[in-house]
Amino acid sequence: MPPFDFRITATAGAARSGVFSMPHGDVETPAFMPVGTHGAVRSLSVHDVAATGGRLLLSNAYHLYLRPGDDIVRALGGLHAFTRWRGPMLTDSGGFQVFSLAKYRVVTEHGVEFRSHLDGSLHDYTPERVMQIERNLGADVIMQLDELIAGGSEESASRAAMERSLRWLDRCQVEFDRLTREGRADGLLLAPVDGIVDVHPDDERVAPPQALFPIVQGGVNPTLRRESVRGILASGDWIGVAIGGLSVGESKPDMHATLEVCEPLMPSDRPRYLMGVGFPEDLVEGVRRGVDLFDCVAPNRMGRDGTAFTPDGKAQIKQAAFRTDRRPLVDGCACEACTHYDRAFLRHLFMSSEPLGQRLLAMHNIAFVIDVMAQARAAMHGGTFSAWSDAWLRRYHREAVVPVG
Ligand SMILES: [Zn+2]
């Protein structure tokens, strides 16, 4: 069996349910990927993440390249051995972080020169270098380096970035193939650890099986989006395709329209990944428009800030109404916060600034969006997806101040 495979098991209009198989395991789609930017989902252990139902973990090449260094991660056995996450992983190239975090950057055809947001050191990020970094990290799915521009940019700037992203994709692919063929550069060699690092030193230069995903760009301009998809499909037979550059300040109707432009042009038999989108309502709208994979830091971040997702919209955990409320946060939710604690105690944890409260709400929000994806899959298999998604969105958008238990 090939290391990567995607099987669609049910459809409903543009929506699809399937199974994406990767070297480290299978993921049922549509799926939400918890984000472990630095190799860990903030405040959660790998066991916590598994308990939320998370199966595919996202990490970030920019952050891991700067700290601890992709060569160190590789010497420690790769991202899986380093983080102890045994399931499938995906690394983002860090293009977004270079554009959003770096204090100083110069973008040329060659690549991006930037100063680290950690210590000001100067770095040269090229498509080739990014492939070397992501090959060293060893996630199952790796992303191309693309050029990002601010939402609402002029069409000419949007076109230039989209076209450059296509040229950078070609360079990524050439380097990816070279590393597959010739092996990785000589790296640091550490003694293997039994049961954790199972790669023999003689095989260490062999890059693990990975899938390189291209990224569709073009802002909210339908012409540019179409050209981007066509350019990507003309340049390779990709295992999956990502849509980037959304959820950067455009309106929801613009995001939905852009997905509708891309959907019919994308291969129906390959997974589609909508990058950086993860609010519950965006997931349901994305699934309706043929998206299979999502990621976002928002569920975790909002949970740590005291905002909980519920079927009736977002709820503030500190609200006075919860002071003596003995009900679970969301009735029927299988997460630790909802099965072990009541609203009164969760509120108390936040009022007392106890870190446990942040951890529990982060787990709840991640479990919540993962469960919404499970509901979507079940509805597709049961032939009720259209009615389910209509009802789900209607209820969620009521945005009740106090959720109905
Ligand atoms: Zn819960």
Side-chain angles (χ1 to χ4, degrees):
M1 188 165 153
F4 292 91
D5 181 51
F6 184 58
R7 304 179 299 285
I8 291 178
T9 50
T11 59
R16 324 99 65 71
S17 179
V19 181
F20 183 29
S21 300
M22 288 160 277
H24 288 87
D26 295 348
V27 173
E28 289 182 280
T29 63
F32 173 81
M33 293 182 262
V35 181
T37 303
H38 301 100
V41 179
R42 190 154 295 170
S43 79
L44 304 188
S45 73
V46 288
H47 307 293
D48 292 338
V49 176
T52 66
R55 293 291 173 266
L56 173 54
L57 186 63
L58 184 142
S59 222
N60 191 278
Y62 167 88
H63 287 285
L64 292 167
Y65 157 71
L66 290 177
R67 186 173 57 192
D70 54 296
D71 54 338
I72 301 284
V73 174
R74 175 178 156 192
L76 291 165
L79 209 41
H80 287 89
F82 184 47
T83 65
R84 312 294 162 104
W85 177 259
R86 293 311 189 103
M89 295 183 91
L90 179 152
T91 47
D92 190 5
S93 66
F96 180 79
Q97 283 67 30
V98 167
F99 286 92
S100 61
L101 287 178
K103 300 289 175 229
Y104 151 93
R105 65 179 172 274
V106 176
V107 187
T108 64
E109 189 63 24
H110 170 72
V112 190
E113 189 183 65
F114 68 92
R115 287 199 182 277
S116 161
H117 71 287
L118 297 174
D119 60 8
S121 54
L122 198 59
H123 298 268
D124 194 24
Y125 227 51
T126 63
E128 291 78 15
R129 185 75 190 93
V130 167
M131 286 300 99
Q132 293 157 14
I133 293 166
E134 293 195 90
R135 286 302 239 164
N136 279 345
L137 294 173
D140 301 69
V141 176
I142 68 177
M143 305 306 297
Q144 76 158 107
L145 180 66
D146 54 349
E147 183 179 359
L148 285 96
I149 53 166
S153 297
E154 293 284 312
E155 180 175 342
S156 58
S158 198
R159 167 173 292 281
M162 180 275 283
E163 291 177 348
R164 176 171 279 158
S165 295
L166 288 175
R167 293 192 295 275
W168 283 1
L169 174 63
D170 288 338
R171 286 168 55 190
C172 282
Q173 189 178 24
V174 168
E175 181 65 4
F176 180 89
D177 290 344
R178 188 190 71 77
L179 291 167
T180 305
R181 206 169 48 244
E182 300 174 14
R184 306 182 284 193
D186 288 331
L188 291 170
L189 273 182
L190 299 177
V193 178
D194 286 346
I196 299 295
V197 180
D198 43 16
V199 179
H200 192 277
D202 292 346
D203 299 328
E204 200 273 338
R205 289 183 79 250
V206 178
Q210 293 178 301
L212 169 62
F213 276 24
I215 304 173
V216 177
Q217 287 290 355
V220 293
N221 182 312
T223 305
L224 295 183
R225 286 283 176 179
R226 286 190 194 98
E227 284 182 38
S228 180
V229 176
R230 291 191 181 112
I232 283 167
L233 298 182
S235 67
D237 182 23
W238 308 102
I239 288 169
V241 178
I243 300 173
L246 288 176
S247 202
V248 291
E250 78 284 354
S251 70
K252 299 276 184 186
D254 277 347
M255 184 205 282
H256 300 161
T258 302
L259 292 177
E260 287 163 13
V261 164
C262 296
E263 193 279 326
L265 301 175
M266 298 175 68
S268 60
D269 60 348
R270 308 295 157 97
R272 302 150 173 180
Y273 162 31
L274 176 56
M275 303 180 75
V277 171
F279 286 103
E281 68 274 32
D282 294 340
L283 298 187
V284 175
E285 298 282 10
V287 170
R288 274 152 59 116
R289 292 165 177 83
V291 176
D292 307 298
L293 297 169
F294 303 86
D295 82 283
C296 191
V297 295
N300 192 336
R301 179 179 294 160
M302 293 178 74
R304 294 197 315 275
D305 288 344
T307 302
F309 296 146
T310 86
D312 301 290
K314 297 186 287 288
Q316 297 304 321
I317 196 71
K318 286 186 176 178
Q319 62 185 279
F322 284 179
R323 202 156 72 95
T324 56
D325 194 333
R326 305 300 306 270
R327 293 175 296 174
L329 184 56
V330 170
D331 199 28
C333 176
C335 88
E336 191 174 342
C338 296
T339 52
H340 286 68
Y341 303 100
D342 58 25
R343 296 173 181 182
F345 184 66
L346 293 170
R347 175 180 184 272
H348 163 72
L349 291 175
F350 271 84
M351 299 306 286
S352 312
S353 301
E354 283 292 339
L356 175 62
Q358 297 189 323
R359 179 170 156 265
L360 288 171
L361 244 58
M363 284 180 75
H364 165 77
N365 280 354
I366 293 171
F368 182 86
V369 289
I370 285 171
D371 182 62
V372 171
M373 294 295 87
Q375 290 179 43
R377 295 195 301 269
M380 277 186 247
H381 285 275
T384 58
F385 178 76
S386 178
W388 171 83
S389 61
D390 283 347
W392 191 96
L393 287 166
R394 217 167 25 243
R395 182 174 173 189
Y396 189 83
H397 283 303
R398 284 197 308 214
E399 292 270 348
V401 177
V402 182
V404 180

